[in-house]
Amino acid sequence: MNDLAHPAATLPAEFDGFSLHIDPQRERADIVLSRPPLNVINMGQRDQLRIVFEALDVDDRVRVIVLRSEGEHFSSGGDIRGFLEASPEHVSKLAWNVAAPTRCGKPVIAAARGYCFGVGFELSLACDFRLVTPTTLYALPEQKLGQIPGSGGSARLQKMVGITRTKDIVMRSRRISGTQAADWGVATECVPDAELETATDALVNELRSFSPLAQRTAKKLLNDTEDSPLSIAIELEGHCYSRLRSSEDFREGVEAFHAKRRPNFTGK
C-alpha cells in the first residue's frame, strides 16, 4: 500500500523489504518488515523507512504507528556487504534515518519477537514503546565485525540502562532476552509470544484514547529534555503545560471529566 503524500520527497512506487498498511478507521499505520526469513535491512530500505515515517507524521488518518515484522524474527540486522559498498556520505546519514521514529510527533510502537539485532535493535530503541516476548533477543553484535553500533544504538541504550550494562551488551556483543530487557527498562512490556499482537492492539487503542495534541507535546518535551538539567526541564514542562491549557482538547477533557463521560479529543 502506498497512498502517502510526503511534503519534501517522492515516495517510491514499491517499498524495499517492508510493506505499509494504513487503517483509517483505527487511526493506525503498520510498517511491516518483510524480507524473509531474517528481515535483513539494506541501505536503501533505511532511506525509505525514514521517508515513510516522515509522511505518516503529517497524515491526518494516522494517530499511532506500529513497526513490526513478518515471520518469527523482527530483524537479524543490516546487510553487511552494503556497508562495504556504501559511500561515506551515505553511511553518515544512517543515524538520521534510524532516528525517524524519534523525530515523528506521533507515538511509535515496536513489536518484536525473535532476533532483534543491529539496526533492528537500533530502530526499536528509536521508538517510544517496545513490546517483546520471551523469544525476543536484543543484541548489538557489531564488535564481531570489527565495528561499533553506528545508528545511535549504544548512545540510546546507555541512556536507558547506564554505562555498565551498555558496555556488557556492546563490548561483548551480548544478547539479552525479552524478559531481561523488560526487567532492565529497555522494553516497555514482555508478553507471551502468542499475545504480542493482542498486546499491540491494546496499546494502540489506549494511545488513541488520549488527546493527540497532548501526546505530541509530551513526546517532544520528553525527547527535548532528556539531556537537560532538571531546572530547564521543569521550566519547559511548565511552558508546555501552559500552552495546552488554551487548547480545545484540554477544555474537552475537563468538561468530560465533570460530566463523567468519555472525552472526544480532536487534536486542537
Side-chain angles (χ1 to χ4, degrees):
M1 175 180 185
N2 183 2
D3 58 349
L4 286 171
H6 189 283
T10 301
L11 288 161
E14 294 184 2
F15 297 127
D16 184 5
F18 68 99
S19 60
L20 174 65
H21 309 274
I22 297 176
D23 187 340
Q25 289 188 330
R26 301 171 70 190
E27 300 177 300
R28 167 177 174 167
D30 285 64
I31 300 172
V32 185
L33 304 180
S34 54
R35 183 177 281 116
L38 297 175
N39 295 320
V40 173
I41 298 172
N42 65 24
M43 290 293 186
Q45 184 176 350
R46 299 173 192 234
D47 294 328
Q48 290 188 357
L49 286 168
R50 171 186 59 79
I51 293 171
V52 168
F53 271 108
E54 292 170 352
L56 290 173
D57 199 14
V58 296
D59 192 319
D60 292 336
R61 299 170 298 172
V62 176
R63 283 283 317 278
V64 182
I65 301 168
V66 176
L67 178 63
R68 56 185 178 86
S69 67
E70 292 181 359
E72 61 181 312
H73 297 294
F74 184 79
S75 173
S76 64
D79 177 15
I80 304 304
R81 186 170 296 279
F83 285 97
L84 299 177
E85 300 170 350
S87 68
E89 291 78 11
H90 195 177
V91 172
S92 69
K93 298 177 182 178
L94 296 183
W96 178 255
N97 288 341
V98 169
T102 301
R103 294 193 304 272
C104 179
K106 299 173 181 178
V108 183
I109 303 166
R113 55 166 56 90
Y115 296 161
C116 189
F117 298 164
V119 67
F121 190 13
E122 291 178 307
L123 274 169
S124 296
L125 289 170
C127 296
D128 304 302
F129 303 92
R130 283 164 292 282
L131 299 181
V132 296
T133 80
T135 72
T136 306
L137 286 174
Y138 280 149
L140 294 169
E142 286 82 1
Q143 289 279 291
K144 295 180 179 179
L145 302 172
Q147 255 295 5
I148 64 170
S151 298
S154 59
R156 286 193 174 90
L157 193 61
Q158 185 172 339
K159 291 290 185 182
M160 295 178 185
V161 302
I163 191 169
T164 299
R165 285 173 170 169
T166 301
K167 284 181 176 179
D168 193 31
I169 293 169
V170 172
M171 297 178 68
R172 299 173 64 191
S173 292
R174 179 182 167 189
R175 299 179 180 185
I176 60 172
S177 68
T179 303
Q180 189 169 44
D183 289 343
W184 284 6
V186 177
T188 307
E189 186 178 2
C190 183
V191 300
D193 195 74
E195 297 178 14
L196 181 60
E197 286 72 23
T198 301
T200 303
D201 292 344
L203 182 53
V204 169
N205 291 334
E206 178 186 345
L207 294 169
R208 287 178 57 214
S209 72
F210 301 117
S211 160
L213 180 59
Q215 289 259 288
R216 290 196 301 271
T217 302
K219 177 171 179 175
K220 189 172 191 314
L221 173 66
L222 292 168
N223 286 344
D224 289 350
T225 58
E226 184 179 13
D227 297 321
S228 299
L230 179 60
S231 59
I232 299 299
I234 291 174
E235 182 75 13
L236 290 174
E237 182 182 274
H239 285 299
C240 291
Y241 178 84
S242 179
R243 288 202 306 270
L244 283 175
R245 285 191 61 180
S246 63
S247 69
E248 294 180 16
D249 274 0
F250 179 67
R251 178 177 295 277
E252 167 64 13
V254 172
E255 292 178 352
F257 175 80
H258 286 291
K260 297 182 179 179
R261 61 172 174 82
R262 181 174 297 178
N264 180 26
F265 294 122
T266 62
K268 298 179 182 178

